[in-house]
Amino acid sequence: MTLLLGMAPARRALTIDDVLDTVALDRVTPSPDGEWVAAVVPRPARAGETAGRNAYETDPSRSDVWLVSRRTGERRNLSNGAANAAGFWCATWSPDGRMLAMLSTSPEGVEPRGGDNVRLYVWDRAGGHLRRLSSAAVMTQGRYGSGLYPLDVRGGADGGSIAHTCRSDDENAGFAWLDDHRLVALMLPSGQVSALLDQYGRPFDEVVRTRAALRDGRTPTVTAVGSGEARVPRDEAQWRATLTIVDARSGITAPVADVPIYPFSGELTVSIAPDLRRISILAPVRKLPFTNGVAPPFNNGDWHVEKRLGVVDLTSNAPVRWVALPSAARLPLEMLDWSPDSRHAAFRARSAVSDRTSTAFVLDAASVAVDGIGKGLVTTTSSLGQKAGRPIALWSDAKHLLLRARQKDGKRDDWWLATRERAPVNVTAALTASPATFRRRTDGVLTAAADGRLAKLDPKSASLIPIGNALRKDAAILFPEDPAQRTSTVLLTTNGIFDEIDATNGRLVATARLAPSEIHGFNNRGLIWSEQTAAGLFLRDTRLESGAQRDLLTLDRHLDAVAWGERRIIDYSSTVGTPLKAAVILPPDYRPGRRYPVLTWVYGGYQVSGLDDFWLNRYAPGIYNLQLYAAHGYVVLVPSIPTARDGKEDVYASFPSGVMPAIDKLVALGIADPDRVAVMGQSFGGYTVYALVSQSDRFRAAIAVAGITDPAQAWGQFDPAARGYPGFEDEKSANWSIYENAYGDMPPYAASERWARGSALAHVDRVNTPLLMIHGELDLRDPLAQVEPFFFALSRQGKTARLLRYWGENHSLAASPANVRDVYGETLAWLDRYTAPNPAPH
């Protein structure tokens, strides 16, 4: 067929192949001189790759490192891992820009295709070659919310105060550059496997060992866990990592010290002092034992783990000097910031397991003595706060520590200037709003965006002094990302407008209006950012002062041929009159006046924000890309389902209030066929589906993916992927904390009636909707045992249900592309059977 000039090419429906071929940039890092960009680019999930290690869309063992010139646009694939199904990621420049360190699963020698571990590699710009630095496995952090082996390696050559990352907040790096040719890395003992491969590989290895032991008949296959006086001691020698100095020029490795690790929660923090002579260590060692009647605070692993604080000199085989902590700091939580003179390290701690607040302390690195600082101030944040966006503490100089905290009876977090000798002073008390963060200028002065002006901190007067002209309303500092990184200009953002401001005089340097999906870097050469569009993913480099722009990389161009469904937001009210919003995706060939079958995607507690809503993302992976169902002829509806999830209301009974009126509104608009409405959800959304169909017959079909059916039983069930952690397999699951948060911080035996009201299993006799149940064998959040009784109960009643158990799969059911395809195919078959867009005659 010949296209006539001026006619747009015909577009086609989105397919599961399109979604599996879609990739997102893993990490983008400009070189120190700004000349080059190292971009970690995943390969599509196609045949020939090694799958099953992570959810397919977040698996770095399918990535390559590309080098792109910002000046000429030249592009080079430095790693070319496809031939060996190898991954290369976490690309990190040396301070002089001559080398690029990275992690890799690349096999060498007799190692299997796809690799058997994660190791440290370096690319040398001078020679242009890539080489392995050590055969030892590097400690890595599990991705996709697994919480396995959490890491925080900070400082080094960049003088930073936040964790070095491999991919945003999803994976922190286990190494850092110390100078132009040396790195500090955390290496695992011989025989141990990095978490990237181990988090779902360990259970299968244990099955193989168990089978061999059973056949042999001489070794028992028992594992034991215990509590109280019967608690099983852990093999400390096995659970450790070695701080190692690696010389990237010579390839020589020198062990510094062994540090304990705890694999399930509590970040292992390794903070390098500014003078590069010492490291402070905050090492998780074990889970804190429960005390009857004492509710552990917060749903955060760091609050449930015992940690040890220590200091080690950066010399070969140096001993760690572990700190004898005072009772007020008995349970350290988080390393904060090193003083500029490297003499003191700040940290926060609490005295008792039940404490929901913490206070700041200072460690003397030479004597390892601990003093309090900021007397009378507390931090209340449940998560670790020393991050890019909202740090908790920054030294303004060698004596003054700036703390984000509040007085014990206060209601607002402010910034307080504290020393060990005198009471802290609130430097932001007079402001309408306390700034979220500070940045350090090239002269060492801390600056912040405060009440519409750039302001500098004056430690002598303990005050913020406004500088420059007024900023845009609600402007927030975006770059530099690290509060400790010295800078001459700062980048502020407000509603898509980016302003570069001189950090010394507060004057506007340049401005631009952009629509980034993600910001990757900013320096005097411009802003590096990426944009996900309906036509593909673009990595762009923009000069703010001139507006000149270059596309560095273009990915996912196959999406330009797709006919996308129109996205809308509708307003409606819950059954109790609360104004709510719902997201809607229409079929690409939608015709007004025709009523369509509806797939209602639910997640209890979720509230729709607008057209940038999470569930409207065209780049969502696998079965979670709701455009797939619109492409098949369904109107997709995502209602808001407000619920407190704090134990003060009946969560189970609250779900229909947000869902049913949204369906009614879609019917009233003439869009929905009221007789062809289905419901689907995953995780807590799966539980939402079970709750809805056990309370209503409104739906013609239902699909529950990876959901619980009885919170009281799920509360104490083990993580099925915990097999192979002798003596403490019971500690891997965090479900008890998650579910207790939803039920008022009370365990089931202390609030049995409240928990019983949340059981869909208890009301399974009321389910009449044809129900498809989909679950993974290694679901860490909602064990498989949650759905088998529900299916059996439906079967016992002769009701229509289908249970799909995917062996070896995880919570997202995305470890294997074959499984992603199968889940999607089963879902469409179930929907079409009961709510087909174009029903066939019987």
Side-chain angles (χ1 to χ4, degrees):
M1 177 187 293
T2 302
L3 290 177
L4 298 177
L5 292 178
M7 291 186 62
R11 296 191 177 274
R12 57 176 178 76
L14 182 72
T15 68
I16 190 63
D17 289 331
D18 291 325
V19 175
L20 288 171
D21 277 353
T22 301
V23 298
L25 286 164
D26 198 72
R27 191 186 189 213
V28 177
T29 312
S31 61
D33 61 6
E35 172 70 17
W36 296 88
V37 167
V40 177
V41 182
R43 300 186 296 270
R46 296 174 182 159
E49 300 288 354
T50 300
R53 291 168 169 173
N54 292 268
Y56 85 89
E57 78 277 11
T58 65
D59 190 351
S61 67
R62 215 180 55 247
S63 295
D64 281 308
V65 177
W66 286 73
L67 199 63
V68 185
S69 170
R70 298 177 73 181
R71 183 173 54 85
T72 67
E74 175 194 354
R75 303 174 180 90
R76 278 186 283 165
N77 187 339
L78 301 182
S79 53
N80 292 298
N84 293 318
F88 295 81
W89 73 101
C90 206
T92 308
W93 290 98
S94 61
D96 61 4
R98 294 174 182 267
M99 288 186 278
L100 197 61
M102 63 192 74
L103 299 176
S104 178
T105 58
S106 182
E108 296 188 9
V110 298
E111 295 163 5
R113 176 180 168 81
D116 61 359
N117 226 322
V118 178
R119 296 176 175 91
L120 192 59
Y121 279 69
V122 70
W123 175 79
D124 192 322
R125 186 190 288 191
H129 57 274
L130 191 63
R131 57 191 167 88
R132 181 184 286 187
L133 290 179
S134 172
S135 60
V138 180
M139 185 176 175
T140 60
Q141 179 176 335
R143 286 196 174 192
Y144 208 61
S146 74
L148 202 64
Y149 295 94
L151 281 167
D152 183 345
V153 177
R154 63 174 82 159
D158 71 344
S161 63
I162 61 174
H164 295 283
T165 62
C166 294
R167 179 180 183 265
S168 185
D169 290 331
D170 204 22
E171 181 190 356
N172 289 339
F175 67 92
W177 283 99
L178 192 60
D179 53 33
D180 289 339
H181 64 100
R182 294 184 305 157
L183 300 110
V184 172
L186 286 162
M187 303 297 196
L188 294 176
S190 176
Q192 294 295 304
V193 180
S194 302
L196 180 88
L197 279 63
D198 192 50
Q199 62 179 335
Y200 291 113
R202 182 178 289 252
F204 298 111
D205 294 339
E206 289 299 312
V207 168
V208 172
R209 281 190 279 269
T210 299
R211 177 62 170 163
L214 286 172
R215 283 174 177 255
D216 180 67
R218 292 178 295 178
T219 304
T221 59
V222 64
T223 60
V225 295
S227 66
E229 294 181 359
R231 193 174 189 186
V232 178
R234 202 154 50 90
D235 181 3
E236 300 290 346
Q238 180 183 358
W239 302 104
R240 60 183 174 84
T242 302
L243 267 173
T244 306
I245 295 177
V246 182
D247 192 315
R249 288 179 186 166
S250 66
I252 295 174
T253 60
V256 176
D258 286 348
V259 295
I261 58 177
Y262 179 73
F264 299 150
S265 56
E267 285 187 337
L268 168 59
T269 303
V270 173
S271 182
I272 305 169
D275 65 4
L276 309 180
R277 296 173 58 189
R278 292 191 178 107
I279 290 178
S280 64
I281 298 166
L282 191 58
V285 291
R286 62 182 63 85
K287 182 181 176 182
L288 290 165
F290 292 113
T291 302
N292 192 30
V294 177
F298 304 119
N299 174 26
N300 183 284
D302 284 270
W303 291 79
H304 307 147
V305 176
E306 179 184 342
K307 298 183 178 183
R308 297 177 68 186
L309 178 65
V311 177
V312 63
D313 296 330
L314 268 176
T315 57
S316 183
N317 295 312
V320 179
R321 291 175 291 143
W322 297 109
V323 180
L325 293 164
S327 59
R330 184 174 69 87
L331 298 174
L333 278 169
E334 176 182 13
M335 291 302 306
L336 298 176
D337 198 20
W338 273 101
S339 62
D341 61 4
S342 300
R343 295 180 60 185
H344 299 98
F347 67 99
R348 64 175 178 136
R350 70 198 201 278
S351 61
V353 173
S354 58
D355 288 346
R356 296 178 69 86
T357 61
S358 63
T359 54
F361 296 86
V362 171
L363 168 66
D364 186 299
S367 66
V368 295
V370 171
D371 289 329
I373 192 169
K375 185 178 181 181
L377 298 181
V378 299
T379 63
T380 57
T381 178
S382 62
S383 60
L384 298 189
Q386 200 68 4
K387 305 294 185 186
R390 295 185 65 85
I392 283 179
L394 295 164
W395 290 90
S396 65
D397 52 40
K399 185 178 181 180
H400 296 87
L401 183 66
L402 191 64
L403 285 167
R404 181 163 58 86
R406 67 182 65 172
Q407 293 176 319
K408 290 183 178 179
D409 56 351
K411 295 183 179 180
R412 188 179 94 161
D413 286 337
D414 276 297
W415 288 96
W416 303 73
L417 200 61
T419 68
R420 288 175 294 161
E421 292 81 20
R422 63 185 187 190
V425 179
N426 189 339
V427 300
T428 56
L431 298 178
T432 304
S434 181
T437 187
F438 282 76
R439 293 295 184 268
R440 196 177 299 278
R441 300 190 322 201
T442 50
D443 60 4
V445 174
L446 293 174
T447 61
D451 278 2
R453 299 278 293 279
L454 201 65
K456 66 177 183 179
L457 175 68
D458 180 14
K460 292 183 178 179
S461 62
S463 63
L464 284 175
I465 302 173
I467 54 177
N469 301 322
L471 305 174
R472 300 183 196 275
K473 185 180 179 182
D474 299 326
I477 296 177
L478 183 65
F479 266 86
E481 187 177 34
D482 193 327
Q485 182 181 335
R486 299 199 175 210
T487 183
S488 59
T489 64
V490 292
L491 186 68
L492 288 86
T493 180
T494 314
N495 299 323
I497 300 175
F498 295 83
D499 293 326
E500 183 180 2
I501 304 293
D502 189 300
T504 302
N505 58 35
R507 294 174 184 169
L508 180 68
V509 176
T511 188
R513 182 182 289 276
L514 305 169
S517 302
E518 188 174 356
I519 300 292
H520 301 284
F522 172 69
N523 57 24
N524 58 2
R525 286 180 176 264
L527 182 70
I528 301 173
W529 57 289
S530 58
E531 182 180 13
Q532 291 178 327
T533 73
L537 169 61
F538 300 88
L539 178 64
R540 290 174 168 152
D541 189 2
T542 301
R543 294 267 186 167
L544 297 187
E545 70 278 6
S546 65
Q549 182 169 292
R550 176 192 293 274
D551 283 352
L552 302 177
L553 282 175
T554 302
L555 305 170
D556 304 325
R557 290 292 285 145
H558 63 285
L559 298 181
D560 192 29
V562 170
W564 297 101
E566 180 189 346
R567 302 175 295 178
R568 294 182 181 178
I569 297 295
I570 61 172
D571 294 304
Y572 71 106
S573 297
S574 71
T575 57
V576 295
T578 304
L580 299 173
K581 294 182 182 297
V584 176
I585 305 176
L586 302 175
D589 59 352
Y590 173 75
R591 296 198 302 271
R594 175 183 171 185
R595 291 190 179 272
Y596 288 79
V598 175
L599 174 61
T600 311
W601 182 270
V602 295
Y603 194 98
Y606 185 79
Q607 297 204 48
V608 172
S609 56
L611 284 175
D612 59 349
D613 190 81
F614 176 82
W615 291 113
L616 294 181
N617 180 13
R618 299 184 184 97
Y619 285 73
I623 65 169
Y624 308 103
N625 192 317
L626 302 187
Q627 285 276 352
L628 281 170
Y629 308 103
H632 194 68
Y634 288 87
V635 169
V636 180
L637 171 68
V638 184
S640 293
I641 315 177
T643 176
R645 294 178 66 176
D646 59 1
K648 297 179 181 178
E649 68 172 332
D650 191 340
V651 175
Y652 167 87
S654 70
F655 295 149
S657 178
V659 176
M660 302 309 180
I663 298 171
D664 293 339
K665 182 62 179 283
L666 214 57
V667 172
L669 291 172
I671 297 174
D673 182 340
D675 295 324
R676 290 189 291 162
V677 179
V679 63
M680 181 177 181
Q682 186 264 349
S683 190
F684 199 75
Y687 170 61
T688 307
V689 170
Y690 290 122
L692 287 169
V693 298
S694 59
Q695 296 179 75
S696 172
D697 293 337
R698 178 75 180 268
F699 302 101
R700 288 287 303 275
I703 301 120
V705 184
I708 62 169
T709 63
D710 189 339
Q713 290 297 318
W715 167 82
Q717 287 175 331
F718 290 9
D719 179 349
R723 188 171 178 179
Y725 297 93
F728 61 116
E729 292 175 341
D730 58 313
E731 298 176 11
K732 188 172 187 291
S733 176
N735 290 347
W736 64 269
S737 178
I738 294 171
Y739 297 133
E740 281 186 24
N741 280 355
Y743 287 93
D745 292 329
M746 300 286 283
Y749 54 79
S752 57
E753 291 185 6
R754 183 186 300 172
W755 282 75
R757 289 198 301 270
S759 173
L761 181 61
H763 303 100
V764 67
D765 59 312
R766 304 177 187 176
V767 176
N768 297 304
T769 305
L771 178 61
L772 175 63
M773 306 162 68
I774 302 172
H775 225 89
E777 175 194 13
L778 298 181
D779 191 320
L780 83 165
R781 190 64 62 232
D782 304 327
L784 183 60
Q786 278 289 300
V787 296
E788 290 168 335
F790 203 91
F791 171 80
F792 187 79
L794 293 173
S795 175
R796 180 70 172 77
Q797 300 171 73
K799 294 180 177 178
T800 300
R802 178 172 169 82
L803 172 60
L804 304 175
R805 295 176 294 170
Y806 287 86
W807 305 111
E809 267 291 359
N810 54 40
H811 187 57
S812 63
L813 291 128
S816 163
N819 287 340
V820 174
R821 295 177 189 278
D822 197 71
V823 171
Y824 177 62
E826 289 275 1
T827 298
L828 286 188
W830 195 259
L831 290 173
D832 289 351
R833 181 174 182 178
Y834 297 101
T835 59
N838 300 296
H842 291 289

